[in-house]
Amino acid sequence: MKIKRLLEAALEKNWNDKKAIIVLGPRQTGKTTLLMDLCTRFGNFLFLNCDDPETKIKLENVNENRLIQMIGNHKIVFIDEAQRIKNIGLTLKIITDRIKQTKLVVSGSSALELANEINEPLTGRKWEYTLYPMSWNELVNHFGYMDASKQFEIRLIYGMYPEVVSNPGNERNTLLQLSSSYLYKDLLSYRGMRKSELIEKLLRALALQLGNEVSYNELSRLLEVDKETVMNYIWLLEQAFVIYRLSPLSRNLRSEINTSRKIYFYDTGIRNALISDFRPLALRKDVGALLENFIINERIKHTSYNQIYCNRYFWR
């Protein structure tokens, strides 16, 4: 079941200019599928999957002549999971500046390395977007408002990942796979980090505190690590598009800085999978927290996509 993504129109609009297209976002949100469809539609393209060890070796520390040989007569170069490549920013800059007849398309599932590496080399040379799990607007556009509304409880419980939405009846197994180490795969290779058990414990603790203000001191005592480690891991999970922090609104800047934050998940289904709770809403005590997380997620998606063009639907 192919569901049209709202980001597609913006990508089409900017496809024929000379700037690179960068699409970031959580794993399994459909970045590769969306960009593959567009590359296929627009012509002859070279696909470079950086999860493939051989491709990774070829792209690391590559020079201009080698890139020209690799690209050949391809009019489009699609580099998937680009955060895997060291010094990827320089490689992308060479393609953009020196191989001008080629359209550069890049995807990444982590901002840990990629954002820092591409910002300076590609200043003024890129369009950058974020693809989130499916939005309510996209659900309505595909199923119609009435049928989408009937799915509302299911979406609160199982979330909005495309694979989950497209495979009714198999939501639980899909989410359990997504919420395993695959979800934070990029973190485990970041600067030699190997504390996957701590990541899992932290995520479960955050999932259980959904809707409440989070205390770093309390988390450090619970996890038996120092406060700085907790703060660092939360930041890393943000860069991997698993969670995000929301600061309280305050007219006093000092108060806003010192006040505790709430932490939300980019997808409520992932949150529920982390605590293995897929009960119906009638049996849950966390319905308010789930609704809060879901609505804030939708507002973020709506605001993000509205910066590109106007949507036809939002909450009715």
Side-chain angles (χ1 to χ4, degrees), residues 246-305:
L246 191 64
S247 303
L249 178 63
S250 174
R251 296 184 183 277
N252 186 312
L253 183 58
R254 179 177 296 179
S255 298
E256 185 172 329
I257 292 173
N258 293 328
T259 306
S260 299
R261 270 77 166 149
K262 286 189 175 185
I263 294 180
Y264 298 99
F265 287 79
Y266 275 102
D267 186 75
T268 55
I270 291 295
R271 179 264 180 180
N272 290 331
L274 288 166
I275 57 175
S276 299
D277 189 351
F278 298 107
R279 291 175 298 166
L281 297 185
L283 302 178
R284 305 180 71 107
K285 295 182 179 181
D286 59 355
V287 177
L290 281 176
L291 277 169
E292 182 179 328
N293 197 157
F294 185 87
I295 291 172
I296 292 172
N297 285 349
E298 290 307 307
R299 190 63 197 175
I300 289 173
K301 297 169 193 173
H302 178 70
T303 302
S304 176
Y305 295 146

Short mmCIF file of all heavy atoms in Angstrom, two decimals, residues 246-305:
data_model
loop_
_atom_site.label_atom_id
_atom_site.label_comp_id
_atom_site.label_asym_id
_atom_site.label_seq_id
_atom_site.Cartn_x
_atom_site.Cartn_y
_atom_site.Cartn_z
N LEU A 246 10.96 19.26 25.04
CA LEU A 246 10.12 20.43 24.88
C LEU A 246 10.25 21.30 26.12
O LEU A 246 9.94 20.85 27.23
CB LEU A 246 8.65 20.03 24.68
CG LEU A 246 7.71 21.15 24.23
CD1 LEU A 246 8.10 21.67 22.85
CD2 LEU A 246 6.27 20.64 24.21
N SER A 247 10.73 22.51 25.93
CA SER A 247 10.94 23.42 27.06
C SER A 247 9.64 24.15 27.40
O SER A 247 8.83 24.43 26.52
CB SER A 247 12.02 24.45 26.72
OG SER A 247 13.23 23.81 26.37
N PRO A 248 9.45 24.50 28.66
CA PRO A 248 8.26 25.28 29.03
C PRO A 248 8.38 26.70 28.53
O PRO A 248 9.49 27.23 28.35
CB PRO A 248 8.28 25.23 30.57
CG PRO A 248 9.73 25.06 30.91
CD PRO A 248 10.30 24.21 29.82
N LEU A 249 7.25 27.33 28.29
CA LEU A 249 7.23 28.73 27.86
C LEU A 249 7.31 29.62 29.09
O LEU A 249 6.52 29.48 30.02
CB LEU A 249 5.96 29.04 27.07
CG LEU A 249 5.80 30.48 26.60
CD1 LEU A 249 6.90 30.86 25.62
CD2 LEU A 249 4.43 30.67 25.96
N SER A 250 8.28 30.53 29.10
CA SER A 250 8.44 31.43 30.23
C SER A 250 8.91 32.80 29.73
O SER A 250 9.70 32.88 28.79
CB SER A 250 9.46 30.87 31.23
OG SER A 250 9.74 31.80 32.26
N ARG A 251 8.40 33.85 30.34
CA ARG A 251 8.84 35.19 29.98
C ARG A 251 10.20 35.52 30.60
O ARG A 251 10.86 36.47 30.22
CB ARG A 251 7.80 36.23 30.43
CG ARG A 251 6.47 36.08 29.72
CD ARG A 251 5.51 37.18 30.12
NE ARG A 251 4.21 37.01 29.49
CZ ARG A 251 3.90 37.40 28.27
NH1 ARG A 251 4.83 38.00 27.54
NH2 ARG A 251 2.70 37.21 27.76
N ASN A 252 10.58 34.70 31.56
CA ASN A 252 11.87 34.87 32.22
C ASN A 252 12.85 33.87 31.64
O ASN A 252 12.71 32.67 31.84
CB ASN A 252 11.73 34.66 33.74
CG ASN A 252 13.02 34.96 34.49
OD1 ASN A 252 14.09 34.49 34.12
ND2 ASN A 252 12.90 35.73 35.57
N LEU A 253 13.85 34.33 30.89
CA LEU A 253 14.78 33.43 30.21
C LEU A 253 15.52 32.55 31.19
O LEU A 253 15.73 31.36 30.94
CB LEU A 253 15.78 34.24 29.38
CG LEU A 253 16.79 33.43 28.55
CD1 LEU A 253 16.04 32.52 27.58
CD2 LEU A 253 17.73 34.36 27.79
N ARG A 254 15.91 33.10 32.34
CA ARG A 254 16.65 32.30 33.32
C ARG A 254 15.77 31.17 33.86
O ARG A 254 16.22 30.04 34.00
CB ARG A 254 17.13 33.18 34.47
CG ARG A 254 17.89 32.43 35.55
CD ARG A 254 18.41 33.36 36.63
NE ARG A 254 19.39 34.29 36.08
CZ ARG A 254 19.99 35.23 36.79
NH1 ARG A 254 19.68 35.38 38.08
NH2 ARG A 254 20.87 36.04 36.22
N SER A 255 14.51 31.47 34.11
CA SER A 255 13.58 30.43 34.59
C SER A 255 13.38 29.35 33.54
O SER A 255 13.30 28.16 33.85
CB SER A 255 12.23 31.06 34.96
OG SER A 255 12.38 31.97 36.01
N GLU A 256 13.30 29.76 32.27
CA GLU A 256 13.10 28.80 31.19
C GLU A 256 14.28 27.86 31.08
O GLU A 256 14.12 26.67 30.84
CB GLU A 256 12.87 29.54 29.88
CG GLU A 256 12.52 28.62 28.72
CD GLU A 256 12.10 29.38 27.48
OE1 GLU A 256 11.53 30.47 27.62
OE2 GLU A 256 12.36 28.87 26.38
N ILE A 257 15.49 28.39 31.27
CA ILE A 257 16.69 27.56 31.17
C ILE A 257 16.75 26.55 32.31
O ILE A 257 17.12 25.39 32.13
CB ILE A 257 17.95 28.45 31.17
CG1 ILE A 257 18.00 29.27 29.88
CG2 ILE A 257 19.21 27.60 31.30
CD1 ILE A 257 19.11 30.31 29.86
N ASN A 258 16.35 26.98 33.52
CA ASN A 258 16.51 26.14 34.70
C ASN A 258 15.35 25.18 34.93
O ASN A 258 15.45 24.25 35.72
CB ASN A 258 16.67 27.02 35.95
CG ASN A 258 17.98 27.79 35.92
OD1 ASN A 258 18.97 27.32 35.37
ND2 ASN A 258 17.98 28.99 36.50
N THR A 259 14.23 25.40 34.25
CA THR A 259 13.05 24.58 34.47
C THR A 259 13.21 23.21 33.83
O THR A 259 13.85 23.05 32.81
CB THR A 259 11.80 25.27 33.87
OG1 THR A 259 11.72 26.59 34.40
CG2 THR A 259 10.54 24.51 34.22
N SER A 260 12.59 22.19 34.47
CA SER A 260 12.61 20.84 33.91
C SER A 260 11.89 20.80 32.57
O SER A 260 10.99 21.60 32.31
CB SER A 260 11.96 19.86 34.89
OG SER A 260 12.67 19.82 36.10
N ARG A 261 12.28 19.84 31.74
CA ARG A 261 11.66 19.67 30.43
C ARG A 261 10.72 18.47 30.43
O ARG A 261 10.82 17.59 31.26
CB ARG A 261 12.72 19.42 29.36
CG ARG A 261 13.29 20.65 28.69
CD ARG A 261 14.27 21.36 29.54
NE ARG A 261 15.02 22.34 28.74
CZ ARG A 261 15.49 23.45 29.23
NH1 ARG A 261 15.27 23.77 30.49
NH2 ARG A 261 16.18 24.29 28.48
N LYS A 262 9.84 18.48 29.44
CA LYS A 262 9.11 17.26 29.10
C LYS A 262 9.81 16.64 27.90
O LYS A 262 10.33 17.35 27.04
CB LYS A 262 7.64 17.56 28.78
CG LYS A 262 6.80 17.89 30.00
CD LYS A 262 5.32 17.94 29.64
CE LYS A 262 4.46 18.15 30.88
NZ LYS A 262 3.02 18.08 30.56
N ILE A 263 9.80 15.32 27.86
CA ILE A 263 10.44 14.60 26.76
C ILE A 263 9.40 13.72 26.09
O ILE A 263 8.67 12.97 26.76
CB ILE A 263 11.63 13.76 27.25
CG1 ILE A 263 12.73 14.70 27.77
CG2 ILE A 263 12.16 12.86 26.14
CD1 ILE A 263 13.96 13.98 28.30
N TYR A 264 9.32 13.84 24.76
CA TYR A 264 8.34 13.10 23.99
C TYR A 264 9.03 12.20 22.98
O TYR A 264 10.20 12.40 22.63
CB TYR A 264 7.41 14.08 23.25
CG TYR A 264 6.61 14.97 24.17
CD1 TYR A 264 7.03 16.28 24.42
CD2 TYR A 264 5.46 14.51 24.78
CE1 TYR A 264 6.30 17.11 25.27
CE2 TYR A 264 4.73 15.33 25.63
CZ TYR A 264 5.15 16.63 25.87
OH TYR A 264 4.43 17.43 26.71
N PHE A 265 8.28 11.22 22.48
CA PHE A 265 8.76 10.31 21.45
C PHE A 265 8.22 10.76 20.09
O PHE A 265 7.08 11.22 20.00
CB PHE A 265 8.31 8.88 21.75
CG PHE A 265 9.06 8.25 22.90
CD1 PHE A 265 8.71 8.55 24.21
CD2 PHE A 265 10.11 7.38 22.68
CE1 PHE A 265 9.40 8.00 25.28
CE2 PHE A 265 10.80 6.82 23.73
CZ PHE A 265 10.45 7.13 25.04
N TYR A 266 9.04 10.59 19.06
CA TYR A 266 8.58 10.95 17.72
C TYR A 266 7.42 10.08 17.27
O TYR A 266 6.71 10.44 16.33
CB TYR A 266 9.73 10.82 16.71
CG TYR A 266 10.60 12.05 16.64
CD1 TYR A 266 11.84 12.09 17.27
CD2 TYR A 266 10.18 13.18 15.94
CE1 TYR A 266 12.63 13.23 17.21
CE2 TYR A 266 10.96 14.32 15.88
CZ TYR A 266 12.18 14.34 16.52
OH TYR A 266 12.96 15.47 16.47
N ASP A 267 7.20 8.95 17.94
CA ASP A 267 6.10 8.06 17.57
C ASP A 267 5.58 7.38 18.83
O ASP A 267 6.36 6.79 19.60
CB ASP A 267 6.57 7.02 16.56
CG ASP A 267 5.44 6.16 16.04
OD1 ASP A 267 4.64 6.66 15.21
OD2 ASP A 267 5.34 5.00 16.46
N THR A 268 4.26 7.44 19.05
CA THR A 268 3.68 6.84 20.25
C THR A 268 3.74 5.32 20.20
O THR A 268 3.80 4.67 21.25
CB THR A 268 2.22 7.29 20.43
OG1 THR A 268 1.47 7.00 19.23
CG2 THR A 268 2.14 8.78 20.72
N GLY A 269 3.73 4.74 19.00
CA GLY A 269 3.84 3.29 18.90
C GLY A 269 5.19 2.80 19.41
O GLY A 269 5.27 1.77 20.11
N ILE A 270 6.26 3.51 19.07
CA ILE A 270 7.59 3.16 19.57
C ILE A 270 7.62 3.25 21.09
O ILE A 270 8.16 2.38 21.78
CB ILE A 270 8.66 4.10 18.96
CG1 ILE A 270 8.83 3.81 17.47
CG2 ILE A 270 10.00 3.93 19.68
CD1 ILE A 270 9.38 2.45 17.13
N ARG A 271 7.01 4.30 21.61
CA ARG A 271 6.96 4.45 23.08
C ARG A 271 6.27 3.26 23.72
O ARG A 271 6.73 2.69 24.70
CB ARG A 271 6.25 5.76 23.42
CG ARG A 271 6.14 6.00 24.93
CD ARG A 271 4.81 5.55 25.50
NE ARG A 271 4.73 5.78 26.93
CZ ARG A 271 3.68 5.48 27.68
NH1 ARG A 271 2.60 4.92 27.14
NH2 ARG A 271 3.70 5.71 28.99
N ASN A 272 5.11 2.85 23.18
CA ASN A 272 4.38 1.73 23.75
C ASN A 272 5.14 0.42 23.62
O ASN A 272 5.07 -0.45 24.49
CB ASN A 272 3.01 1.63 23.09
CG ASN A 272 2.09 2.77 23.48
OD1 ASN A 272 2.20 3.34 24.56
ND2 ASN A 272 1.18 3.13 22.58
N ALA A 273 5.86 0.27 22.51
CA ALA A 273 6.65 -0.96 22.30
C ALA A 273 7.78 -1.06 23.33
O ALA A 273 8.11 -2.16 23.78
CB ALA A 273 7.22 -0.98 20.89
N LEU A 274 8.36 0.06 23.71
CA LEU A 274 9.46 0.05 24.67
C LEU A 274 9.03 -0.46 26.04
O LEU A 274 9.84 -1.02 26.78
CB LEU A 274 10.06 1.45 24.80
CG LEU A 274 10.87 1.94 23.60
CD1 LEU A 274 11.11 3.44 23.69
CD2 LEU A 274 12.20 1.19 23.52
N ILE A 275 7.75 -0.27 26.38
CA ILE A 275 7.24 -0.76 27.66
C ILE A 275 6.29 -1.94 27.46
O ILE A 275 5.61 -2.37 28.41
CB ILE A 275 6.55 0.36 28.46
CG1 ILE A 275 5.41 0.99 27.65
CG2 ILE A 275 7.56 1.42 28.87
CD1 ILE A 275 4.61 2.04 28.43
N SER A 276 6.22 -2.43 26.21
CA SER A 276 5.39 -3.61 25.87
C SER A 276 3.94 -3.44 26.33
O SER A 276 3.35 -4.35 26.93
CB SER A 276 5.99 -4.88 26.47
OG SER A 276 7.28 -5.11 25.96
N ASP A 277 3.37 -2.28 26.05
CA ASP A 277 2.00 -2.00 26.46
C ASP A 277 1.17 -1.62 25.24
O ASP A 277 1.25 -0.49 24.74
CB ASP A 277 1.97 -0.87 27.49
CG ASP A 277 0.59 -0.68 28.12
OD1 ASP A 277 -0.38 -1.31 27.65
OD2 ASP A 277 0.49 0.11 29.09
N PHE A 278 0.39 -2.58 24.74
CA PHE A 278 -0.47 -2.34 23.58
C PHE A 278 -1.95 -2.49 23.95
O PHE A 278 -2.77 -2.81 23.11
CB PHE A 278 -0.11 -3.31 22.46
CG PHE A 278 1.30 -3.17 21.96
CD1 PHE A 278 2.26 -4.12 22.26
CD2 PHE A 278 1.68 -2.06 21.20
CE1 PHE A 278 3.56 -3.99 21.81
CE2 PHE A 278 2.98 -1.92 20.74
CZ PHE A 278 3.93 -2.89 21.06
N ARG A 279 -2.26 -2.27 25.21
CA ARG A 279 -3.65 -2.41 25.65
C ARG A 279 -4.55 -1.36 25.02
O ARG A 279 -4.09 -0.25 24.70
CB ARG A 279 -3.73 -2.29 27.17
CG ARG A 279 -3.11 -3.45 27.94
CD ARG A 279 -3.14 -3.16 29.42
NE ARG A 279 -2.35 -1.96 29.74
CZ ARG A 279 -2.41 -1.32 30.90
NH1 ARG A 279 -3.25 -1.72 31.84
NH2 ARG A 279 -1.65 -0.25 31.12
N PRO A 280 -5.85 -1.66 24.86
CA PRO A 280 -6.80 -0.66 24.36
C PRO A 280 -6.86 0.54 25.29
O PRO A 280 -6.52 0.45 26.48
CB PRO A 280 -8.14 -1.41 24.35
CG PRO A 280 -7.78 -2.86 24.37
CD PRO A 280 -6.48 -2.97 25.11
N LEU A 281 -7.32 1.67 24.77
CA LEU A 281 -7.35 2.90 25.57
C LEU A 281 -8.23 2.76 26.81
O LEU A 281 -7.94 3.36 27.85
CB LEU A 281 -7.86 4.06 24.70
CG LEU A 281 -7.00 4.44 23.50
CD1 LEU A 281 -7.58 5.68 22.82
CD2 LEU A 281 -5.55 4.67 23.89
N ALA A 282 -9.30 1.98 26.72
CA ALA A 282 -10.22 1.83 27.85
C ALA A 282 -9.55 1.17 29.05
O ALA A 282 -10.04 1.31 30.19
CB ALA A 282 -11.44 1.00 27.42
N LEU A 283 -8.44 0.48 28.83
CA LEU A 283 -7.76 -0.23 29.92
C LEU A 283 -6.49 0.49 30.37
O LEU A 283 -5.75 -0.04 31.21
CB LEU A 283 -7.40 -1.65 29.47
CG LEU A 283 -8.57 -2.54 29.02
CD1 LEU A 283 -8.06 -3.90 28.57
CD2 LEU A 283 -9.58 -2.70 30.16
N ARG A 284 -6.24 1.67 29.86
CA ARG A 284 -4.97 2.35 30.13
C ARG A 284 -5.17 3.54 31.08
O ARG A 284 -6.23 4.17 31.09
CB ARG A 284 -4.35 2.86 28.83
CG ARG A 284 -4.15 1.80 27.77
CD ARG A 284 -3.53 2.39 26.53
NE ARG A 284 -2.13 2.74 26.74
CZ ARG A 284 -1.11 2.06 26.22
NH1 ARG A 284 -1.33 1.00 25.47
NH2 ARG A 284 0.13 2.44 26.45
N LYS A 285 -4.11 3.86 31.82
CA LYS A 285 -4.09 5.04 32.68
C LYS A 285 -3.27 6.17 32.06
O LYS A 285 -3.18 7.26 32.65
CB LYS A 285 -3.54 4.69 34.05
CG LYS A 285 -4.40 3.71 34.83
CD LYS A 285 -3.82 3.44 36.21
CE LYS A 285 -4.70 2.49 37.00
NZ LYS A 285 -4.15 2.22 38.37
N ASP A 286 -2.66 5.91 30.91
CA ASP A 286 -1.78 6.91 30.29
C ASP A 286 -2.38 7.52 29.03
O ASP A 286 -1.65 8.04 28.18
CB ASP A 286 -0.42 6.27 29.97
CG ASP A 286 -0.54 5.09 29.01
OD1 ASP A 286 -1.67 4.69 28.67
OD2 ASP A 286 0.51 4.55 28.60
N VAL A 287 -3.70 7.48 28.90
CA VAL A 287 -4.35 7.99 27.69
C VAL A 287 -4.05 9.47 27.50
O VAL A 287 -3.76 9.93 26.38
CB VAL A 287 -5.87 7.75 27.74
CG1 VAL A 287 -6.53 8.36 26.51
CG2 VAL A 287 -6.17 6.26 27.82
N GLY A 288 -4.10 10.24 28.58
CA GLY A 288 -3.82 11.66 28.48
C GLY A 288 -2.42 11.94 27.98
O GLY A 288 -2.21 12.82 27.13
N ALA A 289 -1.45 11.19 28.49
CA ALA A 289 -0.06 11.37 28.06
C ALA A 289 0.11 10.99 26.59
O ALA A 289 0.84 11.66 25.84
CB ALA A 289 0.87 10.54 28.94
N LEU A 290 -0.55 9.91 26.16
CA LEU A 290 -0.47 9.48 24.76
C LEU A 290 -1.07 10.55 23.84
O LEU A 290 -0.50 10.87 22.80
CB LEU A 290 -1.20 8.15 24.57
CG LEU A 290 -0.48 6.88 25.00
CD1 LEU A 290 -1.40 5.67 24.82
CD2 LEU A 290 0.80 6.68 24.20
N LEU A 291 -2.22 11.07 24.23
CA LEU A 291 -2.86 12.12 23.43
C LEU A 291 -1.97 13.36 23.34
O LEU A 291 -1.82 13.96 22.27
CB LEU A 291 -4.21 12.50 24.04
CG LEU A 291 -5.40 11.62 23.69
CD1 LEU A 291 -6.59 11.95 24.58
CD2 LEU A 291 -5.79 11.79 22.23
N GLU A 292 -1.38 13.73 24.46
CA GLU A 292 -0.49 14.89 24.49
C GLU A 292 0.69 14.70 23.54
O GLU A 292 1.00 15.59 22.73
CB GLU A 292 0.02 15.07 25.93
CG GLU A 292 0.91 16.28 26.13
CD GLU A 292 1.34 16.42 27.58
OE1 GLU A 292 0.56 16.03 28.48
OE2 GLU A 292 2.47 16.91 27.82
N ASN A 293 1.32 13.53 23.60
CA ASN A 293 2.46 13.24 22.73
C ASN A 293 2.04 13.22 21.27
O ASN A 293 2.69 13.81 20.40
CB ASN A 293 3.07 11.89 23.12
CG ASN A 293 4.46 11.67 22.57
OD1 ASN A 293 5.24 10.88 23.10
ND2 ASN A 293 4.84 12.34 21.50
N PHE A 294 0.90 12.58 20.97
CA PHE A 294 0.42 12.46 19.60
C PHE A 294 0.12 13.83 19.00
O PHE A 294 0.51 14.14 17.87
CB PHE A 294 -0.84 11.59 19.59
CG PHE A 294 -1.37 11.30 18.21
CD1 PHE A 294 -0.90 10.22 17.49
CD2 PHE A 294 -2.35 12.10 17.64
CE1 PHE A 294 -1.39 9.94 16.22
CE2 PHE A 294 -2.84 11.83 16.38
CZ PHE A 294 -2.37 10.75 15.66
N ILE A 295 -0.56 14.68 19.76
CA ILE A 295 -0.96 16.00 19.25
C ILE A 295 0.25 16.89 19.03
O ILE A 295 0.35 17.60 18.02
CB ILE A 295 -1.97 16.66 20.20
CG1 ILE A 295 -3.30 15.90 20.15
CG2 ILE A 295 -2.20 18.13 19.83
CD1 ILE A 295 -4.31 16.32 21.18
N ILE A 296 1.23 16.83 19.94
CA ILE A 296 2.44 17.63 19.76
C ILE A 296 3.21 17.14 18.54
O ILE A 296 3.75 17.94 17.76
CB ILE A 296 3.30 17.60 21.03
CG1 ILE A 296 2.58 18.33 22.17
CG2 ILE A 296 4.67 18.21 20.79
CD1 ILE A 296 3.24 18.21 23.51
N ASN A 297 3.29 15.82 18.36
CA ASN A 297 3.93 15.29 17.15
C ASN A 297 3.28 15.83 15.89
O ASN A 297 3.96 16.25 14.94
CB ASN A 297 3.84 13.75 17.13
CG ASN A 297 4.80 13.09 18.09
OD1 ASN A 297 5.68 13.74 18.64
ND2 ASN A 297 4.62 11.80 18.30
N GLU A 298 1.94 15.81 15.87
CA GLU A 298 1.23 16.27 14.68
C GLU A 298 1.43 17.76 14.45
O GLU A 298 1.50 18.21 13.30
CB GLU A 298 -0.27 15.95 14.82
CG GLU A 298 -0.60 14.48 14.72
CD GLU A 298 -0.02 13.84 13.47
OE1 GLU A 298 -0.27 14.36 12.36
OE2 GLU A 298 0.72 12.85 13.60
N ARG A 299 1.54 18.52 15.53
CA ARG A 299 1.78 19.95 15.38
C ARG A 299 3.17 20.20 14.79
O ARG A 299 3.34 21.10 13.95
CB ARG A 299 1.63 20.65 16.74
CG ARG A 299 1.62 22.17 16.62
CD ARG A 299 0.42 22.63 15.82
NE ARG A 299 0.59 24.00 15.35
CZ ARG A 299 -0.27 24.63 14.55
NH1 ARG A 299 -1.35 23.99 14.13
NH2 ARG A 299 -0.05 25.85 14.16
N ILE A 300 4.15 19.43 15.23
CA ILE A 300 5.50 19.57 14.69
C ILE A 300 5.51 19.25 13.19
O ILE A 300 6.09 19.98 12.39
CB ILE A 300 6.48 18.64 15.45
CG1 ILE A 300 6.72 19.18 16.86
CG2 ILE A 300 7.80 18.51 14.69
CD1 ILE A 300 7.51 18.25 17.73
N LYS A 301 4.86 18.16 12.80
CA LYS A 301 4.81 17.78 11.39
C LYS A 301 4.07 18.86 10.58
O LYS A 301 4.51 19.25 9.50
CB LYS A 301 4.08 16.44 11.23
CG LYS A 301 4.77 15.26 11.90
CD LYS A 301 3.86 14.04 11.91
CE LYS A 301 4.37 12.97 12.83
NZ LYS A 301 3.41 11.85 12.98
N HIS A 302 2.95 19.31 11.12
CA HIS A 302 2.15 20.32 10.43
C HIS A 302 2.95 21.60 10.22
O HIS A 302 2.97 22.17 9.13
CB HIS A 302 0.90 20.61 11.26
CG HIS A 302 0.01 21.67 10.69
ND1 HIS A 302 -0.71 21.49 9.54
CD2 HIS A 302 -0.26 22.93 11.12
CE1 HIS A 302 -1.41 22.59 9.28
NE2 HIS A 302 -1.14 23.48 10.23
N THR A 303 3.64 22.04 11.26
CA THR A 303 4.45 23.26 11.17
C THR A 303 5.59 23.08 10.18
O THR A 303 5.88 23.96 9.36
CB THR A 303 5.00 23.64 12.55
OG1 THR A 303 3.92 23.83 13.46
CG2 THR A 303 5.82 24.92 12.47
N SER A 304 6.24 21.92 10.25
CA SER A 304 7.38 21.65 9.36
C SER A 304 6.95 21.64 7.90
O SER A 304 7.56 22.31 7.06
CB SER A 304 8.02 20.31 9.73
OG SER A 304 9.06 19.99 8.82
N TYR A 305 5.89 20.92 7.59
CA TYR A 305 5.44 20.82 6.20
C TYR A 305 4.80 22.12 5.73
O TYR A 305 4.83 22.45 4.55
CB TYR A 305 4.47 19.65 6.03
CG TYR A 305 5.11 18.30 6.28
CD1 TYR A 305 4.40 17.26 6.86
CD2 TYR A 305 6.44 18.07 5.92
CE1 TYR A 305 4.99 16.02 7.09
CE2 TYR A 305 7.03 16.84 6.15
CZ TYR A 305 6.30 15.81 6.73
OH TYR A 305 6.90 14.60 6.95
#
